[in-house]
Amino acid sequence: MSFFGGGEQQPAQPDPVFAAQTEMEMYNDLFNKLASTCFQKCASRKHKEPELHLGEMSCVDRCVSKYMEAQEKVGIILQKANEKQAEQMQQQAAMMQQMGGN
């Protein structure tokens, strides 16, 4: 029962607009970091031509591939850690409920 006697409170639902904005910011940040890192690593310091050379293009391809692979691995690890933390919080809540209910 809530403080004002209106019954059980419903859990707050995530705001889809906020989630979309956050996701766009994350993708924007990912793109900017990836572009900066791979450009610094692969682009020639002497910009004589408007196009990338073959070696620069293959370097950028490898760099982007490795960067995205690393991001995917980090994402998987973070997801597992979040799931474990949520599980621990549920177990803790259940213990607290058992202790309060006895």
Side-chain angles (χ1 to χ4, degrees):
M1 190 160 146
S2 74
F3 181 73
F4 296 107
E8 291 291 320
Q9 281 186 321
Q10 296 294 323
Q13 298 295 322
D15 181 15
V17 174
F18 177 74
Q21 286 175 335
T22 304
E23 186 174 9
M24 283 300 296
E25 289 172 4
M26 287 180 6
Y27 280 121
N28 188 31
D29 187 48
L30 173 68
F31 175 79
N32 288 334
K33 286 180 180 178
L34 182 135
S36 174
T37 300
C38 291
F39 181 81
Q40 287 176 357
K41 181 177 180 181
C42 298
S44 172
R45 302 292 182 245
K46 302 173 189 172
H47 300 288
K48 295 180 182 178
E49 299 178 18
E51 302 292 324
L52 292 174
H53 297 286
L54 182 60
E56 292 172 325
M57 285 189 283
S58 59
C59 178
V60 169
D61 285 343
R62 285 190 309 272
C63 180
V64 169
S65 177
K66 288 178 181 179
Y67 197 95
M68 294 304 291
E69 185 179 327
Q71 288 294 315
E72 183 179 351
K73 288 179 181 182
V74 168
I76 290 170
I77 290 169
L78 287 175
Q79 183 178 4
K80 287 179 181 179
N82 286 338
E83 289 171 357
K84 186 175 181 179
Q85 183 180 19
E87 183 181 313
Q88 289 174 344
M89 289 177 68
Q90 287 176 344
Q91 290 174 351
Q92 186 178 17
M95 287 176 53
M96 294 298 282
Q97 189 176 22
Q98 285 179 347
M99 292 176 76
N102 286 339

